[in-house]
Amino acid sequence: MDFEFLTDVTGEPLAKCDVESEYFGDWLSHDIGADTVAVTTLLAAIEKLLARQKMEFDYTGKIYHLIIADDEVELFLNNTELNHNEFDEDLAEGPVSGCGLMDFANLLENWLAFIR
């Protein structure tokens, strides 16, 4: 997964990911933002998943719902946000994006370093 981080004109952090993972950039920018506690919580959950102490983890944000299971990460739109979000309502049935657990962990670690 390719990504880049920058700040908008107000100083808020923004994540841009490659086309296959663009929703993860939107998720980081709008659901996580500069919340270091949320990122560290997610990273701790990933450690437990990798150690097989936990089988699944989910995180519900303002716009997206994240599910981590079987070394895969899937991102879904929250049904309550469909009218607010510019993305197609047909995507509500399934994940809007997905990636491997290690790619996701790498994205989060880099995001945490960026927002600190």
Side-chain angles (χ1 to χ4, degrees):
M1 173 188 309
D2 293 325
F3 53 84
E4 118 180 77
F5 305 137
L6 46 125
T7 54
D8 68 11
V9 293
T10 65
E12 292 297 314
L14 291 175
K16 303 249 183 216
C17 294
D18 56 35
V19 174
E20 297 85 23
S21 306
E22 66 184 324
Y23 287 95
F24 282 103
D26 192 59
W27 172 75
L28 277 175
S29 300
H30 297 103
D31 270 5
I32 300 298
D35 187 351
T36 58
V37 173
V39 178
T40 54
T41 298
L42 286 160
L43 288 169
I46 289 171
E47 285 182 29
K48 288 182 179 179
L49 288 162
L50 289 171
R52 302 292 184 228
Q53 296 172 342
K54 202 173 212 181
M55 298 308 291
E56 185 175 302
F57 180 81
D58 64 310
Y59 179 89
T60 302
K62 296 173 274 189
I63 300 171
Y64 297 97
H65 182 83
L66 182 82
I67 297 175
I68 306 172
D70 299 324
D71 295 330
E72 292 292 321
V73 181
E74 292 184 315
L75 193 60
F76 297 82
L77 284 171
N78 287 340
N79 291 335
T80 58
E81 292 298 329
L82 286 176
N83 294 329
H84 167 72
N85 203 297
E86 74 243 24
F87 301 115
D88 191 349
E89 288 188 27
D90 292 338
L91 298 172
E93 296 301 315
V96 293
S97 195
C99 69
L101 186 57
M102 297 313 294
D103 280 342
F104 183 67
N106 181 51
L107 176 69
L108 286 177
E109 288 165 356
N110 281 280
W111 183 252
L112 184 60
F114 180 75
I115 62 175
R116 280 192 170 158

